[in-house]
Amino acid sequence: MQNPGSYVHSNVTGFLNLLEMSKSANPQPAIIWASSSSVYGLNSTVLFSEKDRTDQPASLYAATKKAGEEIAHTYNHLYGLSITGLRFFTVYGPWGRPDMAYFFFTKDIMKGKTITVYESPDKGSVARDFTYINDIVKGCLGALDTAKKSTGSGGKKRGPAHLRIFNLGNTSPVPVSTLVSILEKILKVKAKKKVVPLPRNADVEFTHANITLAMTELGYKPATDLEAGLKKFVRWYLSFYSGSKKKSS
């Protein structure tokens, strides 16, 4: 909300630039790209399926990812590009994004800072289908291994091409309050928490992936539960940042 242009620049213009280069290549590449579970927006279905409606985004980020899916459809139709979109569900793990909750929760808990935990309007905990990075990578490789070739060349379509979309999640939503409890257990530190209502203009209350299609078509099978994944993340975090301090000193 503070810098909307950056999302359009990266997720719409950036993706368009990639497709423009790819359509004119000879041979054309097959493209695997990252969409997002956020495209499901205000969908109230318990299991998010690829067949569900995705025309009610709850954030600009979600809208730009949905725009990417529509642009992908257009370039597949016009130029014969083979395109596979992967809707990632809350990816976490080593080398993750510092702006993700699990990452800055770990940082702030260790520093003794208060963390903000959102709750839904019915006083329940916001939940996410946390998916460990290794499982996501296996899904990406499955998409690469099963992608068919593009059918165009030099910007001209020669025939129909692959256009696919898959959910990549852990299909096991966990309340954010449970995430905090697991981090407390691993770090052996009690978190200072401030529980506040989820703002109306914030993200959705829960995500839950139906991964049947990815399991069938890609051989996708997530194998890392949240506690096991967070243990690996914390091990990396402690090693990485202790190493950074030694180098800077």
Side-chain angles (χ1 to χ4, degrees):
M1 293 173 68
Q2 293 176 351
N3 189 7
S6 66
Y7 290 88
V8 175
H9 180 72
S10 294
N11 295 341
V12 180
T13 305
F15 188 44
L16 181 67
N17 290 339
L18 171 70
L19 296 178
E20 274 291 301
M21 293 294 293
S22 299
K23 80 174 188 187
S24 302
N26 195 8
Q28 290 178 335
I31 297 170
I32 313 295
W33 72 286
S35 183
S36 167
S37 62
S38 66
V39 300
Y40 290 107
L42 302 179
N43 178 23
S44 59
T45 308
V46 175
L47 272 173
F48 293 176
S49 169
E50 292 88 347
K51 295 180 180 179
D52 291 344
R53 64 183 297 182
T54 53
D55 59 352
Q56 297 177 299
S59 66
L60 180 67
Y61 172 78
T64 61
K65 285 297 187 179
K66 176 60 178 176
E69 292 188 358
E70 299 304 317
I71 293 169
H73 179 278
T74 303
Y75 274 70
N76 167 268
H77 172 70
L78 292 177
Y79 304 110
L81 283 171
S82 172
I83 305 176
T84 301
L86 303 176
R87 292 174 177 169
F88 295 158
F89 279 71
T90 317
V91 185
Y92 73 99
W95 299 100
R97 283 168 38 196
D99 64 330
M100 296 284 279
Y102 75 93
F103 201 114
F104 64 74
F105 278 177
T106 299
K107 177 182 177 181
D108 290 345
I109 289 172
M110 291 185 64
K111 290 186 175 182
K113 293 184 177 180
T114 300
I115 61 173
T116 300
V117 179
Y118 292 116
E119 65 178 9
S120 59
D122 62 358
K123 302 298 181 181
S125 179
V126 173
R128 290 289 178 269
D129 199 345
F130 296 100
T131 313
Y132 189 62
I133 182 60
N134 288 22
D135 292 325
I136 289 290
V137 169
K138 290 176 183 176
C140 293
L141 293 175
L144 284 167
D145 291 341
T146 57
K148 293 183 179 179
K149 293 181 179 180
S150 293
T151 60
S153 62
K156 294 183 178 180
K157 181 179 179 180
R158 308 295 180 185
H162 241 184
L163 179 66
R164 306 183 298 171
I165 198 82
F166 295 102
N167 288 337
L168 293 188
N170 198 47
T171 199
S172 181
V174 176
V176 174
S177 57
T178 301
L179 164 75
V180 174
S181 297
I182 294 172
L183 285 174
E184 288 177 322
K185 176 182 175 183
I186 296 171
L187 295 170
K188 297 181 174 59
V189 178
K190 187 67 175 176
K192 298 177 182 177
K193 292 173 284 189
K194 180 174 71 173
V195 180
V196 300
L198 183 69
R200 290 183 180 274
N201 58 4
D203 212 340
V204 295
E205 293 177 26
F206 73 95
T207 58
H208 189 178
N210 181 336
I211 59 172
T212 302
L213 187 62
M215 292 175 72
T216 303
E217 300 289 330
L218 309 181
Y220 176 67
K221 190 177 180 181
T224 312
D225 64 46
L226 184 59
E227 183 163 353
L230 285 175
K231 284 181 179 177
K232 294 177 181 179
F233 165 71
V234 169
R235 190 180 307 125
W236 167 83
Y237 181 93
L238 295 175
S239 173
F240 180 80
Y241 283 99
S242 63
S244 297
K245 289 179 181 178
K246 289 178 182 177
K247 288 178 183 178
S248 61
S249 62

